[in-house]
Amino acid sequence: MERKIDFSRERQMLCEECEHRWMVDLDWIDRWNHGGETCPGCGTNCERERSARVTVDLTDAALTDEAVGSLHWYHTSTQQDWPTKAYDTVSELTAAVRRLMGGDERVAEWADRQRKRALHVGTYEAAIQNMLRRITDQDDRGRQFFLYRVHLTPTVVVRTDWLIDPSDFVGDVMLEDVCPSGVDVARYLNYHEDPGGLSLALGRDAIASVQQVAVPLTGTRHNDWVGRAAETLFAASDAVVATNGYLARVVRLPSPRANAGRELARELTERLPVNLRDQFASAASFDEGDDPEQWAMRVAGLFDLIDDPGRVIATLDRRPHRTI
């Protein structure tokens, strides 16, 4: 069952100080985060320890235990076979990293812990925002991402009620901490990606099948922007601006082409919901040496994932199911 995809939807706020609950739009939340709004119930602002936070929408279909297994869930990853049965985390560690971790015994303990981590799935919006975050924060720029539509097993057992986001500082959740014996799936309030939406922590056995598509999709509705952007970038010099003295030792000024790329990306960024703009702008940044046409197609493709999710869903509808 597909839910309506709406990156701009209103969110529910809940004040910890006075327990007032009310609906707001994303612009209100942005003003709140900058101290420009207060709780309508008690007047507290974001600086108070027990101030208001985004909370679960009481109309969310995922609050109904019986519905969780029939809803479509999503995940983005650079793994082409997620959720892989035997993901070898140790093989990616260099000898230097192994030494820093304390040697083979500590590495083995760490690998065992990695195998016990919960998987995460959420709304389509959360999956796309997760991808933007990884491009920005985890050096995944240039890597191919895949969007997965996740279908749960029909007999999945859902933990009663929902949790506040249980992730640690690196985003990990130990499956046994949230899914005790006899429980397959735990719902939690996601504060970071699609704030206010419910995500799931679960084990691999809770997944029946996945459908997969490489993202961004090829092609775009914004061919006019792509053509204009490529033409503008090709016309701009790619020579890095020279600096002298102390400035030359501490900073490398961008080329006119990179500056043009930033302005072109801003045209699309300003059309997005306010909570996505910083991550999108970073993910869409023009790096020195980028091919103008390829950059424009990639940025337009990223924008389409937010602006035109229907095309992504229709593409997934045509993909086969891979049994897990």
Short mmCIF file of all heavy atoms in Angstrom, two decimals, residues 57-95:
data_model
loop_
_atom_site.label_atom_id
_atom_site.label_comp_id
_atom_site.label_asym_id
_atom_site.label_seq_id
_atom_site.Cartn_x
_atom_site.Cartn_y
_atom_site.Cartn_z
N ASP A 57 2.39 12.16 13.68
CA ASP A 57 1.06 12.55 13.24
C ASP A 57 0.08 11.45 13.65
O ASP A 57 0.23 10.29 13.28
CB ASP A 57 1.06 12.73 11.72
CG ASP A 57 -0.25 13.29 11.19
OD1 ASP A 57 -1.30 13.13 11.86
OD2 ASP A 57 -0.23 13.87 10.09
N LEU A 58 -0.94 11.82 14.41
CA LEU A 58 -1.88 10.83 14.94
C LEU A 58 -2.71 10.16 13.85
O LEU A 58 -3.37 9.15 14.11
CB LEU A 58 -2.80 11.49 15.96
CG LEU A 58 -2.09 12.04 17.22
CD1 LEU A 58 -3.10 12.70 18.15
CD2 LEU A 58 -1.33 10.93 17.94
N THR A 59 -2.68 10.70 12.63
CA THR A 59 -3.39 10.07 11.52
C THR A 59 -2.50 9.16 10.69
O THR A 59 -2.96 8.60 9.68
CB THR A 59 -4.03 11.13 10.61
OG1 THR A 59 -2.99 11.89 9.96
CG2 THR A 59 -4.91 12.09 11.40
N ASP A 60 -1.24 9.01 11.06
CA ASP A 60 -0.30 8.19 10.29
C ASP A 60 -0.78 6.74 10.26
O ASP A 60 -1.02 6.12 11.30
CB ASP A 60 1.09 8.26 10.94
CG ASP A 60 2.19 7.69 10.04
OD1 ASP A 60 1.90 6.78 9.24
OD2 ASP A 60 3.33 8.16 10.16
N ALA A 61 -0.91 6.19 9.07
CA ALA A 61 -1.39 4.81 8.92
C ALA A 61 -0.48 3.81 9.61
O ALA A 61 -0.93 2.74 10.05
CB ALA A 61 -1.50 4.46 7.43
N ALA A 62 0.80 4.15 9.75
CA ALA A 62 1.75 3.22 10.36
C ALA A 62 1.54 3.06 11.86
O ALA A 62 2.17 2.19 12.48
CB ALA A 62 3.18 3.68 10.08
N LEU A 63 0.69 3.87 12.46
CA LEU A 63 0.37 3.70 13.87
C LEU A 63 -0.53 2.48 14.10
O LEU A 63 -0.63 1.99 15.23
CB LEU A 63 -0.32 4.96 14.42
CG LEU A 63 0.58 6.18 14.63
CD1 LEU A 63 -0.26 7.39 15.01
CD2 LEU A 63 1.64 5.90 15.69
N THR A 64 -1.19 2.01 13.07
CA THR A 64 -2.04 0.83 13.17
C THR A 64 -1.19 -0.42 12.96
O THR A 64 -0.60 -0.61 11.89
CB THR A 64 -3.16 0.88 12.11
OG1 THR A 64 -3.91 2.09 12.26
CG2 THR A 64 -4.09 -0.32 12.25
N ASP A 65 -1.12 -1.26 13.98
CA ASP A 65 -0.25 -2.44 13.93
C ASP A 65 -0.50 -3.28 12.68
O ASP A 65 0.43 -3.73 12.01
CB ASP A 65 -0.46 -3.31 15.17
CG ASP A 65 0.01 -2.64 16.45
OD1 ASP A 65 0.54 -1.51 16.36
OD2 ASP A 65 -0.17 -3.23 17.54
N GLU A 66 -1.77 -3.51 12.37
CA GLU A 66 -2.12 -4.38 11.25
C GLU A 66 -1.72 -3.79 9.90
O GLU A 66 -1.60 -4.53 8.92
CB GLU A 66 -3.63 -4.67 11.25
CG GLU A 66 -4.14 -5.45 12.46
CD GLU A 66 -4.21 -4.61 13.72
OE1 GLU A 66 -4.22 -3.36 13.62
OE2 GLU A 66 -4.25 -5.21 14.82
N ALA A 67 -1.54 -2.48 9.84
CA ALA A 67 -1.21 -1.84 8.57
C ALA A 67 0.28 -1.85 8.26
O ALA A 67 0.69 -1.73 7.09
CB ALA A 67 -1.71 -0.39 8.56
N VAL A 68 1.12 -1.99 9.29
CA VAL A 68 2.56 -1.87 9.10
C VAL A 68 3.08 -2.83 8.05
O VAL A 68 3.89 -2.48 7.18
CB VAL A 68 3.30 -2.08 10.45
CG1 VAL A 68 4.81 -2.17 10.23
CG2 VAL A 68 2.98 -0.95 11.41
N GLY A 69 2.62 -4.08 8.09
CA GLY A 69 3.11 -5.08 7.16
C GLY A 69 2.65 -4.88 5.73
O GLY A 69 3.27 -5.42 4.81
N SER A 70 1.58 -4.12 5.51
CA SER A 70 1.06 -3.93 4.16
C SER A 70 1.53 -2.62 3.52
O SER A 70 1.34 -2.42 2.33
CB SER A 70 -0.47 -3.97 4.18
OG SER A 70 -1.00 -2.92 4.97
N LEU A 71 2.14 -1.75 4.32
CA LEU A 71 2.62 -0.48 3.78
C LEU A 71 3.91 -0.67 3.00
O LEU A 71 4.69 -1.58 3.29
CB LEU A 71 2.86 0.53 4.91
CG LEU A 71 1.63 1.02 5.67
CD1 LEU A 71 2.05 1.85 6.87
CD2 LEU A 71 0.72 1.83 4.75
N HIS A 72 4.16 0.21 2.03
CA HIS A 72 5.44 0.22 1.34
C HIS A 72 6.43 1.03 2.17
O HIS A 72 6.14 2.14 2.60
CB HIS A 72 5.28 0.86 -0.05
CG HIS A 72 4.53 0.01 -1.02
ND1 HIS A 72 4.08 0.49 -2.22
CD2 HIS A 72 4.16 -1.30 -0.96
CE1 HIS A 72 3.45 -0.49 -2.87
NE2 HIS A 72 3.48 -1.57 -2.12
N TRP A 73 7.63 0.47 2.35
CA TRP A 73 8.71 1.14 3.06
C TRP A 73 9.89 1.31 2.12
O TRP A 73 10.01 0.58 1.13
CB TRP A 73 9.10 0.33 4.30
CG TRP A 73 7.96 0.18 5.26
CD1 TRP A 73 7.06 -0.84 5.32
CD2 TRP A 73 7.59 1.10 6.29
NE1 TRP A 73 6.14 -0.62 6.31
CE2 TRP A 73 6.45 0.56 6.94
CE3 TRP A 73 8.10 2.31 6.76
CZ2 TRP A 73 5.82 1.20 8.01
CZ3 TRP A 73 7.48 2.95 7.82
CH2 TRP A 73 6.36 2.39 8.43
N TYR A 74 10.76 2.26 2.45
CA TYR A 74 11.83 2.61 1.51
C TYR A 74 13.18 2.71 2.21
O TYR A 74 13.27 2.96 3.41
CB TYR A 74 11.50 3.94 0.82
CG TYR A 74 10.34 3.82 -0.13
CD1 TYR A 74 9.03 4.04 0.31
CD2 TYR A 74 10.53 3.46 -1.46
CE1 TYR A 74 7.96 3.90 -0.57
CE2 TYR A 74 9.47 3.32 -2.33
CZ TYR A 74 8.18 3.54 -1.88
OH TYR A 74 7.14 3.40 -2.74
N HIS A 75 14.21 2.53 1.39
CA HIS A 75 15.58 2.64 1.89
C HIS A 75 16.47 3.04 0.71
O HIS A 75 16.24 2.61 -0.43
CB HIS A 75 16.05 1.29 2.45
CG HIS A 75 17.45 1.30 2.98
ND1 HIS A 75 17.78 1.87 4.19
CD2 HIS A 75 18.62 0.82 2.46
CE1 HIS A 75 19.07 1.72 4.41
NE2 HIS A 75 19.60 1.10 3.37
N THR A 76 17.50 3.85 0.96
CA THR A 76 18.50 4.15 -0.07
C THR A 76 19.85 3.64 0.40
O THR A 76 20.19 3.71 1.58
CB THR A 76 18.59 5.66 -0.36
OG1 THR A 76 18.58 6.41 0.87
CG2 THR A 76 17.45 6.12 -1.24
N SER A 77 20.62 3.11 -0.54
CA SER A 77 21.92 2.54 -0.22
C SER A 77 22.80 2.56 -1.46
O SER A 77 22.31 2.58 -2.60
CB SER A 77 21.76 1.10 0.27
OG SER A 77 23.01 0.47 0.48
N THR A 78 24.12 2.53 -1.24
CA THR A 78 25.05 2.36 -2.34
C THR A 78 25.31 0.87 -2.60
O THR A 78 26.02 0.53 -3.54
CB THR A 78 26.38 3.07 -2.05
OG1 THR A 78 26.92 2.57 -0.82
CG2 THR A 78 26.18 4.58 -1.96
N GLN A 79 24.75 0.00 -1.77
CA GLN A 79 24.86 -1.45 -1.99
C GLN A 79 23.86 -1.89 -3.05
O GLN A 79 22.66 -1.64 -2.91
CB GLN A 79 24.58 -2.22 -0.70
CG GLN A 79 25.62 -2.02 0.39
CD GLN A 79 25.26 -2.84 1.62
OE1 GLN A 79 24.76 -3.95 1.52
NE2 GLN A 79 25.52 -2.28 2.79
N GLN A 80 24.36 -2.57 -4.06
CA GLN A 80 23.48 -2.99 -5.15
C GLN A 80 22.63 -4.20 -4.78
O GLN A 80 21.65 -4.51 -5.47
CB GLN A 80 24.31 -3.29 -6.40
CG GLN A 80 23.49 -3.41 -7.67
CD GLN A 80 24.35 -3.40 -8.91
OE1 GLN A 80 25.57 -3.33 -8.85
NE2 GLN A 80 23.71 -3.46 -10.07
N ASP A 81 22.99 -4.90 -3.69
CA ASP A 81 22.24 -6.09 -3.30
C ASP A 81 21.70 -5.96 -1.88
O ASP A 81 21.57 -6.95 -1.16
CB ASP A 81 23.10 -7.34 -3.42
CG ASP A 81 24.35 -7.26 -2.54
OD1 ASP A 81 24.68 -6.17 -2.04
OD2 ASP A 81 25.01 -8.31 -2.34
N TRP A 82 21.40 -4.72 -1.44
CA TRP A 82 20.85 -4.53 -0.10
C TRP A 82 19.49 -5.25 0.03
O TRP A 82 18.71 -5.23 -0.92
CB TRP A 82 20.67 -3.04 0.18
CG TRP A 82 20.18 -2.74 1.56
CD1 TRP A 82 20.92 -2.48 2.67
CD2 TRP A 82 18.81 -2.68 2.00
NE1 TRP A 82 20.12 -2.27 3.76
CE2 TRP A 82 18.82 -2.39 3.38
CE3 TRP A 82 17.58 -2.85 1.37
CZ2 TRP A 82 17.65 -2.26 4.13
CZ3 TRP A 82 16.42 -2.73 2.11
CH2 TRP A 82 16.46 -2.44 3.47
N PRO A 83 19.15 -5.86 1.15
CA PRO A 83 20.04 -6.11 2.29
C PRO A 83 20.84 -7.39 2.08
O PRO A 83 20.28 -8.49 2.12
CB PRO A 83 19.06 -6.25 3.45
CG PRO A 83 17.82 -6.83 2.83
CD PRO A 83 17.77 -6.33 1.41
N THR A 84 22.12 -7.25 1.82
CA THR A 84 22.95 -8.39 1.52
C THR A 84 22.98 -9.36 2.69
O THR A 84 22.94 -8.96 3.85
CB THR A 84 24.38 -7.95 1.16
OG1 THR A 84 25.16 -9.09 0.84
CG2 THR A 84 25.02 -7.21 2.31
N LYS A 85 23.07 -10.65 2.37
CA LYS A 85 23.03 -11.67 3.42
C LYS A 85 24.34 -11.75 4.18
O LYS A 85 24.38 -12.07 5.36
CB LYS A 85 22.71 -13.04 2.80
CG LYS A 85 22.46 -14.13 3.83
CD LYS A 85 21.98 -15.40 3.16
CE LYS A 85 21.64 -16.47 4.21
NZ LYS A 85 21.12 -17.71 3.58
N ALA A 86 25.44 -11.43 3.50
CA ALA A 86 26.75 -11.57 4.14
C ALA A 86 27.61 -10.35 3.84
O ALA A 86 28.58 -10.42 3.09
CB ALA A 86 27.44 -12.84 3.67
N TYR A 87 27.20 -9.21 4.38
CA TYR A 87 27.95 -7.98 4.16
C TYR A 87 29.26 -8.04 4.94
O TYR A 87 29.26 -8.12 6.17
CB TYR A 87 27.11 -6.78 4.60
CG TYR A 87 27.81 -5.45 4.42
CD1 TYR A 87 28.47 -5.15 3.24
CD2 TYR A 87 27.79 -4.50 5.43
CE1 TYR A 87 29.09 -3.92 3.06
CE2 TYR A 87 28.41 -3.28 5.27
CZ TYR A 87 29.06 -3.00 4.08
OH TYR A 87 29.69 -1.79 3.92
N ASP A 88 30.38 -8.02 4.24
CA ASP A 88 31.69 -8.19 4.86
C ASP A 88 32.27 -6.82 5.19
O ASP A 88 32.93 -6.19 4.36
CB ASP A 88 32.62 -8.95 3.91
CG ASP A 88 33.97 -9.25 4.55
OD1 ASP A 88 34.13 -8.95 5.74
OD2 ASP A 88 34.85 -9.78 3.85
N THR A 89 32.02 -6.34 6.40
CA THR A 89 32.52 -5.03 6.81
C THR A 89 34.02 -5.04 7.03
O THR A 89 34.69 -4.03 6.84
CB THR A 89 31.83 -4.59 8.11
OG1 THR A 89 32.04 -5.59 9.12
CG2 THR A 89 30.34 -4.41 7.91
N VAL A 90 34.57 -6.18 7.43
CA VAL A 90 36.00 -6.25 7.76
C VAL A 90 36.87 -6.08 6.52
O VAL A 90 37.93 -5.46 6.59
CB VAL A 90 36.31 -7.59 8.46
CG1 VAL A 90 37.81 -7.74 8.71
CG2 VAL A 90 35.56 -7.68 9.78
N SER A 91 36.44 -6.60 5.39
CA SER A 91 37.27 -6.55 4.18
C SER A 91 37.54 -5.12 3.72
O SER A 91 38.50 -4.87 2.98
CB SER A 91 36.62 -7.35 3.05
OG SER A 91 35.40 -6.75 2.66
N GLU A 92 36.70 -4.18 4.14
CA GLU A 92 36.88 -2.79 3.73
C GLU A 92 37.88 -2.04 4.61
O GLU A 92 38.24 -0.91 4.31
CB GLU A 92 35.52 -2.07 3.78
CG GLU A 92 34.49 -2.66 2.83
CD GLU A 92 33.17 -1.92 2.90
OE1 GLU A 92 33.05 -1.02 3.75
OE2 GLU A 92 32.27 -2.24 2.10
N LEU A 93 38.35 -2.68 5.68
CA LEU A 93 39.25 -2.02 6.61
C LEU A 93 40.70 -2.20 6.16
O LEU A 93 41.14 -3.32 5.88
CB LEU A 93 39.09 -2.58 8.02
CG LEU A 93 37.69 -2.50 8.63
CD1 LEU A 93 37.69 -3.16 10.01
CD2 LEU A 93 37.21 -1.06 8.73
N THR A 94 41.44 -1.11 6.11
CA THR A 94 42.86 -1.20 5.79
C THR A 94 43.64 -1.68 7.01
O THR A 94 43.13 -1.69 8.14
CB THR A 94 43.40 0.17 5.35
OG1 THR A 94 43.31 1.08 6.47
CG2 THR A 94 42.60 0.74 4.18
N ALA A 95 44.88 -2.08 6.77
CA ALA A 95 45.73 -2.54 7.87
C ALA A 95 45.92 -1.44 8.90
O ALA A 95 45.94 -1.70 10.11
CB ALA A 95 47.08 -3.00 7.31
#
